[in-house]
Amino acid sequence: MIESNQHAPSIPTFITQRWDEYTIEDHAVWGILFDRRMRELERTGSRVFLEGAAAIGLNPVTVPRLAEVNRQLGPRTGWNAVPVSGFLPAQQFFECLAKRRFPTTVTVRPRNQLDYLPEPDIFHDVFGHVPLHSDPHFGNFLQRFGAVAASARTEEETLQMARLFWFTVEFGLVREDGRLKVYGSGLISSAGDAANALSPACERRPFSLDAVIAQPFEIDRLQDVLFVVEDFAELFTAVEEAGRRLGAPA
C-alpha cells in the first residue's frame, strides 16, 4: 500500500481499528467476499495462503480483529498487521516492512463495488496479504524487501523495487506439486485478476530478478505478463541479490 502522490501529507497515518463500529452490512460484505474467493482458492490458491488464512483465524462470519490476527501471527514469524488510515509514502511503507509491520487499511468496500475498488480495503490487505506473512520463507523475503527498498536512492532503483513488489507480493504465481497456484494479494483478493493470470491471455514466464525489474506494469488493467516462482526461497535469493546491487546494509 504505497502512496505515489509526491505531495501526500506527512502527518502520521497510523490509527486504531474501531472494530465495534463495523456495521452488519460491513460484516455481510466481508462474508460474501470471503466465501466467493475461498471457493475458488481451495483449488487455485497456494497452500501457503490457505494454511496461513486458517492459522491466523480468518473466517466468513465477521471482519477480522487485527489484534486477534496478530496474536496468532506474531508468534509464528514476528509479523504484525498495523492499521492505517490510507496510503503511506513509499519510504515509510518500506520502513514498516523492514520492521515486520504491515500497514493495513481497515475500511470495508461498499456492496456495489464488490468486484473492483481502486484503493485497498481490509479485504485486499488482510485476506489478500496477511496469510502469507505466516510463512517463514515469505515473511523473511518481505522483511528483507522492505530493508532493501528503503535503501533505494534513485528513481530507477525505486522503480526496480516497485516492479519486484508488483510481480511477487501483488501478482505472484508459484508452482506447487506441478500445478500453477496464485499467491500475490492482487490475485488472491480478485476473481477477475486470478482468472486472467491462469488463462491463455496471460503470458507466464519463469521468475528471474533481471526479467522482473525490466518488466513494466500498469495498475489499472489485467496483466499481460506474470512470473512464476518454484518456491518462496527463490524470492529471498532474489531480494538478497537486489540488496547487493543497491549496496543495502546486510
Side-chain angles (χ1 to χ4, degrees):
M1 203 174 38
I2 306 170
E3 174 62 82
S4 59
N5 183 355
Q6 295 179 353
H7 304 290
S10 59
I11 59 173
T13 53
F14 295 98
I15 60 173
T16 298
Q17 183 190 29
R18 301 184 183 279
W19 191 86
D20 292 338
E21 295 181 6
Y22 288 116
T23 65
I24 293 174
E25 175 72 357
D26 290 333
H27 293 299
V29 167
W30 170 272
I32 292 168
L33 292 167
F34 185 103
D35 283 336
R36 243 179 19 176
R37 288 304 294 135
M38 270 301 186
R39 281 197 299 270
E40 180 64 21
L41 291 167
E42 286 173 359
R43 182 177 64 85
T44 62
S46 165
R47 64 173 175 271
V48 175
F49 163 79
L50 295 170
E51 291 169 359
I56 64 175
L58 298 188
N59 66 77
V61 179
T62 62
V63 175
R65 296 178 187 259
L66 295 190
E68 293 180 2
V69 168
N70 290 336
R71 275 195 286 272
Q72 303 299 321
L73 178 62
R76 296 174 70 91
T77 60
W79 275 91
N80 280 274
V82 293
V84 294
S85 59
F87 288 109
L88 292 183
Q91 187 71 16
Q92 190 176 11
F93 179 77
F94 296 148
E95 290 171 355
C96 282
L97 298 185
K99 297 174 183 176
R100 295 183 183 254
R101 290 161 55 84
F102 187 76
T104 303
T105 47
V106 292
T107 54
V108 179
R109 70 188 66 181
R111 189 183 289 259
N112 63 1
Q113 290 183 283
L114 288 179
D115 294 319
Y116 177 73
L117 193 70
E119 304 84 16
D121 70 339
I122 195 168
F123 187 76
H124 174 84
D125 282 345
V126 175
F127 183 88
H129 279 280
V130 177
L132 272 293
H133 303 169
S134 68
D135 177 74
H137 288 299
F138 191 87
N140 289 342
F141 155 71
L142 190 58
Q143 185 274 331
R144 184 59 179 153
F145 173 89
V148 171
S151 73
R153 293 294 177 262
T154 68
E155 186 174 331
E156 179 61 24
E157 289 175 349
T158 300
L159 175 60
Q160 290 177 359
M161 295 308 295
R163 289 172 175 172
L164 180 57
F165 190 88
W166 182 262
F167 288 112
T168 57
V169 179
E170 290 288 352
F171 281 88
L173 295 163
V174 61
R175 201 175 308 280
E176 293 178 348
D177 303 321
R179 298 182 60 195
L180 202 60
K181 300 295 182 73
V182 302
Y183 75 85
S185 62
L187 305 178
I188 291 290
S189 62
S190 169
D193 284 294
N196 172 73
L198 299 173
S199 78
C202 180
E203 180 183 353
R204 294 174 292 274
R205 300 174 182 172
F207 178 89
S208 80
L209 178 62
D210 288 332
V212 166
I213 64 176
Q215 181 63 41
F217 66 86
E218 296 180 38
I219 64 173
D220 56 355
R221 64 188 301 274
L222 295 175
Q223 304 303 299
D224 298 320
V225 174
L226 293 175
F227 295 89
V228 182
V229 296
E230 300 301 321
D231 59 56
F232 292 141
E234 192 174 348
L235 296 179
F236 190 81
T237 299
V239 79
E240 283 287 86
E241 174 59 24
R244 284 190 288 273
R245 296 179 185 184
L246 269 60

